[in-house]
Amino acid sequence: MSNKFRVVLGLLTLWLAFVPLQLKASEAGGEGTLDVKEVVLGHMSDAYEWHIFTWNGHHVSIPLPVIVKAHDGSWHVFSSSRLAHGQSYEGFYIDSEQNGKVYERLADGSTVKPLDFSITKNVVQIWIVVLVVLCVVLGTARWYRHRKASDDAPRGFVGLIEMFVMMIYDDVIKPGVGADKALRYAPLLLTAFFFIFVTNLLGLIPIFPGGANVTGNITITFCLAFIILLTVNIFGNKEYWKEIFWPDVPTWLKVPVPLMPVIELFGIFTKPFALMVRLFANMMGGHAIILSLLCVIFITCQLGVVLGASLSFVSFVMMIFMNALELLVAFIQAYVFTMLSAVFIGLAHPQHHHSK
C-alpha cells in the first residue's frame, strides 16, 4: 500500500469516525430526529466557537474571543462561552435566526447589530493555514540554503513542494503572465495557490485543526478576488487602459454612445466576480453533498433493517467517493484560481500594436 493511499484512507477514516459524533449534537430533543438543514448549514457556517465533538449530550468546544463595539461606543471583549446555550452577557446574545451573529439588546427592548471584530472559527482556521504555509515554505527554503545547484534533486517532502512550485510556475504563471513578468508576480500567485490548496485540504478534516468551511465562505473568496482585482488594475499598462476606454473597433461603437468602453469597463468587475463565485460555489457544494449523504445514513436507519441497511450502504459508498473526489477538487480549485488570475494579470499587460 503506497504512502499516498494511506494518507487518503486515513483522512476518510477520521471523517467516518468523528462526524457521526458531531451529528449526535443535532438530534432534536434527544429523540433521534435528525435536522438535515441544521446539520448541513451548521457545519458550513462560521461560528464563535470551535465545536470538536459531542459525547453523551455534552458539547466539547473551544471558546473563542468575542470583540464587539456596543451602541454607546464602548468596547467589550469576553469569551464566547458566556453566550452558549442562548445566554446573554452584558446585553449581547447570539441570534440563531440571524445567521448566528452577535446582537445587542438595548434598554428599550430593541436590538441592533454591533461592530463585530470577533475571532471566529474561520479566522482561526486562516491563521492555522498561514502558519502551515509559512512552516512549509520556510522549511523548504532552509533545506535549499544548505545545498548547491549541482547537488541532486530533493526527495521526500521537499521534492513534493518543489514539484508543486515548478508546475505552477512553468505551466501556469509563465504562460499566463509572460516569461518576462513571471518572477514579478510569482510570489503573489504561488501564495494564492498554496493558501487555497492548504485551506481546502484542512476543510476536509472533520476535527480540529480542520473542518472550517473557509473557501466555502463568500466573504473569503471576495477578499481573494479583490486582491486580484487590485493587482490587475493598479499594475496594468497604458495599452490595457487604452483597450478599455478606446478599443480598436469602429468609431461608431465608441462615439457618440460609448458602447464598447462601457462593456470593457464592466468586464473589469466580471472577471474577479467569476473568480469569487467559482471557488465559493464549488467548495460549498462539495461540503453540502458530503454532509447530505452522511445524513441519509441516519435517516434511512429509521425505515427498517433491510431498506435502511441497503440505502445506508449506498450512501456510505457515495460518501467515500465524494471525499476522494473532494481531495481532487481541493487541488483543481486552487489550480484554476491561480491559472485564471495569471491570465487576467497577463491581459493587463498587452503589447503595443504598431499599424502598418
Side-chain angles (χ1 to χ4, degrees):
M1 183 182 295
S2 63
N3 292 332
K4 293 182 180 180
F5 183 77
R6 288 176 181 175
V7 172
V8 174
L9 185 61
L11 291 175
L12 296 179
T13 303
L14 283 173
W15 179 274
L16 297 175
F18 287 95
V19 169
L21 295 175
Q22 297 182 3
L23 291 176
K24 295 293 184 180
S26 299
E27 295 179 356
E31 299 178 357
T33 303
L34 187 65
D35 191 344
V36 178
K37 180 180 178 181
E38 180 181 353
V39 170
V40 175
L41 296 181
H43 280 75
M44 294 196 305
S45 60
D46 200 2
Y48 292 93
E49 63 178 7
W50 198 306
H51 182 266
I52 307 300
F53 60 87
T54 301
W55 183 261
N56 292 331
H58 177 68
H59 300 279
V60 179
S61 304
I62 300 176
L64 301 174
V66 177
I67 307 172
V68 291
K69 183 179 181 181
H71 182 69
D72 58 0
S74 61
W75 288 90
H76 300 261
V77 181
F78 52 89
S79 173
S80 61
S81 60
R82 297 182 179 275
L83 304 180
H85 310 294
Q87 297 178 356
S88 177
Y89 179 75
E90 296 181 350
F92 298 97
Y93 69 100
I94 295 179
D95 192 345
S96 57
E97 298 181 357
Q98 298 290 336
N99 299 324
K101 299 299 182 180
V102 172
Y103 279 79
E104 180 185 4
R105 184 176 287 108
L106 303 180
D108 57 359
S110 60
T111 59
V112 294
K113 191 176 186 307
L115 193 60
D116 195 349
F117 290 93
S118 302
I119 309 300
T120 61
K121 180 180 179 181
N122 283 346
V123 174
V124 177
Q125 181 74 93
I126 292 175
W127 289 353
I128 294 174
V129 171
V130 171
L131 181 62
V132 171
V133 173
L134 282 177
C135 291
V136 169
V137 173
L138 295 180
T140 305
R142 183 179 180 183
W143 187 93
Y144 279 101
R145 191 178 297 115
H146 303 286
R147 297 296 186 278
K148 299 179 180 179
S150 58
D151 293 342
D152 295 336
R155 298 180 180 180
F157 182 76
V158 177
L160 178 65
I161 300 301
E162 180 182 307
M163 180 198 70
F164 279 117
V165 171
M166 297 308 298
M167 177 187 62
I168 298 301
Y169 183 76
D170 293 334
D171 299 339
V172 176
I173 299 178
K174 273 188 176 181
V177 178
D180 57 332
K181 300 179 181 65
L183 287 176
R184 180 181 181 183
Y185 295 100
L188 171 65
L189 296 174
L190 285 172
T191 301
F193 171 80
F194 281 104
F195 174 80
I196 297 173
F197 186 39
V198 175
T199 302
N200 293 344
L201 290 180
L202 287 179
L204 296 177
I205 303 176
I207 59 173
F208 184 85
N213 187 32
V214 176
T215 49
N217 189 319
I218 197 167
T219 57
I220 305 300
T221 59
F222 169 80
C223 293
L224 293 173
F226 186 71
I227 293 174
I228 302 301
L229 172 67
L230 294 179
T231 304
V232 170
N233 293 282
I234 291 178
F235 299 102
N237 58 18
K238 296 180 180 180
E239 189 69 18
Y240 166 71
W241 290 107
K242 178 180 178 298
E243 290 183 356
I244 291 177
F245 292 105
W246 196 259
D248 189 14
V249 294
T251 306
W252 62 273
L253 291 174
K254 296 179 287 188
V255 290
V257 179
L259 179 61
M260 289 305 299
V262 170
I263 295 176
E264 294 291 339
L265 190 62
F266 185 72
I268 293 178
F269 303 98
T270 56
K271 293 174 183 177
F273 180 80
L275 286 177
M276 175 186 70
V277 175
R278 181 190 297 273
L279 180 59
F280 158 73
N282 281 280
M283 300 312 301
M284 183 190 68
H287 285 283
I289 292 175
I290 293 175
L291 291 170
S292 300
L293 290 173
L294 188 58
C295 291
V296 172
I297 298 177
F298 291 87
I299 295 175
T300 53
C301 290
Q302 304 174 4
L303 302 179
V305 178
V306 178
L307 182 59
S310 59
L311 293 177
S312 297
F313 177 76
V314 174
S315 298
F316 179 80
V317 174
M318 289 296 298
M319 186 178 59
I320 293 179
F321 171 76
M322 286 302 302
N323 273 276
L325 184 62
E326 279 294 295
L327 288 175
L328 180 61
V329 171
F331 168 76
I332 292 177
Q333 291 305 316
Y335 184 90
V336 170
F337 187 95
T338 309
M339 179 185 66
L340 292 178
S341 300
V343 171
F344 295 157
I345 294 174
L347 292 175
H349 297 84
Q351 300 297 324
H352 181 69
H353 301 286
H354 297 279
S355 58
K356 295 183 181 180

